[in-house]
Amino acid sequence: MLIFIKIAWRNIRRNFYRSVITISSIGIGFASLFFIRSFIDGADHQMVENYTGLISGHIQIHSKGFQDNPGLKKSIRSPLEVTGALVKASGITAVSPRVKEYVLISSAENSGGALLMGVDPEQEVNVTSLHKHIRSGKFVSTDGQIVIGKTLARSLSVGINDKIVVVAQAFDGSLASESYRICGLLDTGAEEMDKGLAIVTLRAADQLFVLDGKVSEFAVRAGSLEKTDKITASIKRSLDPLKYEVLSWKEISPSLLQWIQFDVAFSDFLLLVILLVVAAGILNTLLMGILERVREFGIMLALGTKRRQIVLMIGIESLILGLAGIAAGFALGAGSSGYFAVHGINLSSFSAALDEYYTGSVIYPRISYGYPVIYGTIVLITSLIVSIYPAWRAARLNPVEAIRG
Amino acid sequence: MALIEIRGITKTHIEKSGVRTEALRGIDLTVNEGDFLSIAGPSGSGKTTLLNIIGALDSPTSGTVLFDGIDIGNTPTARLADLRLKKVGFVFQAYNLFNTLTAIENIEYIMVLQAKPPFEARKTAKALLERVGLSAHGDKQVNRLSGGEQQRVAVARALASGPKVILADEPTANLDSRTAANLIDLMRELNIEKNVTFIFSTHDKIVMDKATRLVLLKDGKILNG
Ligand SMILES: Nc1ncnc2c1ncn2[C@@H]1O[C@H](COP(=O)(O)OP(=O)(O)OP(=O)(O)O)[C@@H](O)[C@H]1O
Ligand SMILES: [Mg+2]
């Protein structure tokens, strides 16, 4: 066994440049896979964090049926029951109770529909970053104030300090109406919100809709995105499933999840392409090496070397090339991903598109330790599979002809 | 005692192009244990073909070869590899050592194939190397050695398996006449010392004169039978 490793190893050394080229091509392939996957994971992570951080939160709790068919009738009637469950679940950073209902907003000039959200300003800022997206003015702090999207303001021809009137149907079905003074304009970059969102305090919304403490939802911020599924499950366990729905961001925004699944599929496709390149590289090296060594294999066979020992030797050679390539690729991939994980990759020249997907224009790759191991194993197995054909060719040589040349 | 019995063998090589060459046309030969036998003949007379058949590398088109009682024509390929490993040593004209290995490792290789313990293999390899006068060169990569030295490593490698017979196809063809004579003398010493049968082919007069038995081959037939 040892002698076969020696022969394989020295062969790799003998064809130094060819081996270096093969190892580099495996390495560069693996490194690009590593880097691209880290990049995609980073971008996806930012996208989810930004999206959930902007308005939805990581987890939402509603009365059952609210998600599909929202409305005041589906309000949470006993919020204390929910807060009780939330206190028990660990890993939660912040919670914000909200009221949500569609209303009509009118100015002197014009009127339009919008989603009115009542939030407790002190709690909301810990769950979302809505307050950071106020372009002019400030976030709501008292009950007579309202924040509206900048596009909505434009269509209503209103600005800071102007008064607008909100008309809605209250919880009991009666018509409700109240006027508010605009304290800030919202500029999130997400058209949907800039065009159709208005925010007042939770108490103002409670009074407007006559809710007596009922709320539409609780938005939850988890300690980390990765823990969301676990926390969602634990909240679910302590709430009556017939009364409540507990949704993670994946259920709140299925299109976001689809986008991420697409990204994963894309990196799997890339894996396939890179594997083909790696396979072709190793195959080429091994086949060339075997053509040059026909006589040597002939001698080995003549001296009584078993065919499987020849296969073993070529397999070892391929394994060494594969391992060296993966080691080099790991260093390169982890190095480059690690560097940019700290310094970020500025894509502001493409940022119009990126804003739409909420990633932001600076991407920070994220390294996780699962996929390098999986990819590495796959690359290694590929290099072994690829060695089968050359090994078979070598083992099938006729020693008499191989020696005769 | 008869080690190898060859009865009426012929060998027709068929090239891929379809060209047929009758390399051997009816050979009868008995090789006894301890023989120091030279097969001599002009180029193309069938020396290599005959040696390959004796060494179980190739099979005859017709006729039988009994090697130490085993009928080579009726033995599967895998078993023949085993037979070669255990009973035959090979020395080639072009040395054909493993150039990536050292002299010691070349000799050890055979014993590794035989699954000898590494420690024992190393000991035997050293002893053999010393016997062929190359103990100072054990750790050298073999392609750094001179032709004569390489061929002596090849003889040591051939001996390493403890074979019944060593087949040497024109072992001296690439050597100058003095080195050639020295190599044959060494082979003769080993032939006596270890009681290993040697069969070597040559067309060099000086070399064939050192044989204790001479077989003259021409156009695939033995002239002096
Ligand atoms: N594998 C082969 N395929 C086709 N023809 C072959 C093959 N091996 C040998 N021959 C032919 O058979 C004849 C005998 O060849 P062989 O190599 O046995 O002769 P030789 O005595 O060893 O010659 P040399 O002294 O040149 O080595 C030659 O005509 C040769 O061309
Ligand atoms: Mg010949």
Side-chain angles (χ1 to χ4, degrees):
Chain A
M1 178 75 184
L2 199 65
I3 198 124
F4 295 120
I5 296 175
K6 261 186 204 165
I7 292 174
W9 169 243
R10 289 187 193 163
N11 239 318
I12 287 171
R13 270 199 351 205
R14 177 164 61 175
N15 296 298
F16 183 74
Y17 288 105
R18 191 160 69 210
S19 304
V20 165
I21 289 169
T22 309
I23 290 168
S24 324
S25 74
I26 299 170
I28 291 169
F30 182 74
S32 17
L33 209 55
F34 192 129
F35 183 79
I36 290 169
R37 183 63 198 256
S38 310
F39 179 86
I40 288 177
D41 278 4
D44 284 350
H45 185 87
Q46 279 166 246
M47 178 168 69
V48 174
E49 281 295 25
N50 290 353
Y51 176 86
T52 56
L54 183 57
I55 183 158
S56 76
H58 291 141
I59 303 166
Q60 289 180 359
I61 299 147
H62 311 129
S63 270
K64 191 153 184 66
F66 182 89
Q67 172 80 352
D68 292 335
N69 196 6
L72 291 180
K73 289 287 165 236
K74 296 269 167 58
S75 295
I76 296 171
R77 281 153 201 271
S78 36
L80 282 177
E81 204 170 282
V82 177
T83 30
L86 291 175
V87 165
K88 270 192 277 170
S90 66
I92 293 174
T93 307
V95 176
S96 177
R98 295 161 167 180
V99 167
K100 272 161 127 182
E101 177 64 333
Y102 285 95
V103 298
L104 189 74
I105 300 183
S106 315
S107 67
E109 315 268 316
N110 210 342
S111 65
L115 177 69
L116 184 72
M117 210 162 86
V119 302
D120 178 335
E122 276 170 24
Q123 300 188 60
E124 185 65 28
V125 296
N126 294 326
V127 175
T128 66
S129 59
L130 282 170
H131 61 288
K132 287 184 189 154
H133 290 87
I134 303 296
R135 189 170 57 167
S136 48
K138 286 187 297 199
F139 200 59
V140 291
S141 52
T142 62
D143 297 347
Q145 293 178 328
I146 191 165
V147 162
I148 65 172
K150 61 163 195 211
T151 318
L152 180 61
R154 203 178 310 127
S155 74
L156 293 173
S157 308
V158 292
I160 302 283
N161 278 331
D162 289 343
K163 280 209 154 191
I164 51 173
V165 175
V166 172
V167 180
Q169 197 174 28
F171 183 75
D172 59 6
S174 65
L175 199 68
S177 154
E178 187 64 68
S179 75
Y180 302 91
R181 191 177 293 279
I182 297 173
C183 66
L185 297 181
L186 195 63
D187 181 7
T188 61
E191 199 44 39
E192 204 185 326
M193 279 179 240
D194 293 348
K195 196 164 70 183
L197 188 64
I199 302 167
V200 296
T201 63
L202 187 63
R203 197 161 42 192
D206 186 81
Q207 283 162 8
L208 175 69
F209 298 118
V210 200
L211 285 170
D212 291 328
K214 294 187 269 298
V215 296
S216 307
E217 73 185 12
F218 283 88
V220 176
R221 181 173 191 80
S224 80
L225 193 56
E226 288 70 28
K227 286 189 194 131
T228 305
D229 286 341
K230 247 174 114 178
I231 297 172
T232 307
S234 94
I235 298 172
K236 259 184 190 161
R237 275 196 298 277
S238 47
L239 283 174
D240 180 357
L242 294 175
K243 277 166 76 182
Y244 296 101
E245 57 190 22
V246 183
L247 309 172
S248 77
W249 62 268
K250 294 176 187 169
E251 295 148 301
I252 300 167
S253 176
S255 61
L256 202 59
L257 182 64
Q258 266 173 18
W259 184 254
I260 286 168
Q261 283 164 344
F262 170 78
D263 281 351
V264 171
F266 174 73
S267 60
D268 286 348
F269 171 73
L270 218 64
L271 171 70
L272 206 71
V273 172
I274 286 171
L275 278 183
L276 285 178
V277 174
V278 165
I282 298 188
L283 189 64
N284 182 48
T285 308
L286 291 179
L287 278 178
M288 272 168 67
I290 281 159
L291 280 178
E292 282 169 11
R293 285 149 67 200
V294 162
R295 174 183 281 257
E296 187 175 318
F297 289 122
I299 304 290
M300 287 181 171
L301 289 165
L303 296 184
T305 310
K306 305 264 183 325
R307 285 177 172 172
R308 64 180 157 75
Q309 290 170 318
I310 302 252
V311 170
L312 174 74
M313 194 157 47
I314 293 170
I316 293 172
E317 211 174 306
S318 178
L319 199 67
I320 295 175
L321 289 172
L323 277 174
I326 288 167
F330 185 84
L332 196 63
S336 56
S337 304
Y339 176 84
F340 286 112
V342 174
H343 297 278
I345 300 169
N346 195 330
L347 298 177
S348 46
S349 33
F350 310 98
S351 77
L354 291 172
D355 262 355
E356 219 165 296
Y357 299 123
Y358 303 141
T359 55
S361 54
V362 179
I363 308 278
Y364 297 88
R366 274 172 79 85
I367 302 175
S368 69
Y369 288 92
Y371 58 80
V373 172
I374 294 171
Y375 289 169
T377 313
I378 293 176
V379 169
L380 214 58
I381 291 172
T382 307
S383 56
L384 279 180
I385 290 174
V386 159
S387 72
I388 291 174
Y389 173 67
W392 180 81
R393 287 264 309 254
R396 295 292 314 233
L397 284 170
N398 175 333
V400 174
E401 271 156 31
I403 297 171
R404 200 166 165 256
Chain B
M1 210 182 89
L3 176 64
I4 298 157
E5 283 187 76
I6 297 169
R7 292 290 163 262
I9 63 166
T10 68
K11 177 71 185 183
T12 306
H13 292 295
I14 305 169
E15 279 172 74
K16 288 204 182 80
S17 59
V19 176
R20 301 162 71 92
T21 311
E22 285 185 60
L24 300 177
R25 313 165 183 243
I27 303 274
D28 291 287
L29 177 66
T30 302
V31 180
N32 294 310
E33 250 174 68
D35 274 358
F36 194 66
L37 175 124
S38 175
I39 298 173
S43 184
S45 56
K47 303 183 293 293
T48 299
T49 305
L50 181 57
L51 281 174
N52 284 344
I53 290 172
I54 295 173
L57 276 173
D58 208 349
S59 51
T61 307
S62 66
T64 57
V65 179
L66 283 183
F67 187 113
D68 206 17
I70 298 162
D71 182 354
I72 286 177
N74 287 325
T75 307
T77 328
R79 290 283 310 281
L80 289 181
D82 216 42
L83 175 95
R84 290 198 298 273
L85 179 58
K86 287 180 181 145
K87 300 195 171 174
V88 187
F90 290 93
V91 176
F92 303 92
Q93 176 181 338
Y95 324 132
N96 286 339
L97 297 169
F98 302 122
N99 283 330
T100 49
L101 299 181
T102 63
I104 281 277
E105 288 164 348
N106 262 278
I107 301 166
E108 279 175 333
Y109 180 86
I110 301 291
M111 293 179 275
V112 170
L113 295 186
Q114 292 180 324
K116 286 232 175 81
F119 168 75
E120 203 187 311
R122 168 88 11 158
K123 216 174 91 184
T124 311
K126 275 191 172 155
L128 282 168
L129 207 59
E130 188 173 352
R131 179 61 193 86
V132 299
L134 288 174
S135 39
H137 300 294
D139 293 327
K140 273 195 195 161
Q141 201 126 315
V142 286
N143 52 8
R144 306 258 157 76
L145 301 177
S146 74
E149 287 167 341
Q150 287 195 46
Q151 205 59 309
R152 278 188 280 163
V153 174
V155 170
R157 179 176 72 178
L159 278 168
S161 62
K164 295 248 170 198
V165 59
I166 290 180
L167 303 173
D169 191 8
E170 304 200 39
T172 59
N174 287 10
L175 305 177
D176 61 67
S177 50
R178 244 193 71 195
T179 316
N182 285 342
L183 186 82
I184 300 295
D185 289 342
L186 173 68
M187 281 164 50
R188 175 66 177 141
E189 284 166 31
L190 293 165
N191 165 246
I192 295 165
E193 216 173 281
K194 305 203 185 266
N195 193 31
V196 179
T197 307
F198 276 78
I199 306 176
F200 53 97
S201 70
T202 184
H203 39 226
D204 182 340
K205 181 84 175 65
I206 302 170
V207 171
M208 54 186 109
D209 284 349
K210 293 188 183 274
T212 58
R213 234 186 110 189
L214 186 63
V215 168
L216 291 174
L217 209 60
K218 190 162 189 288
D219 295 333
K221 282 187 174 153
I222 294 176
L223 294 180
N224 59 335

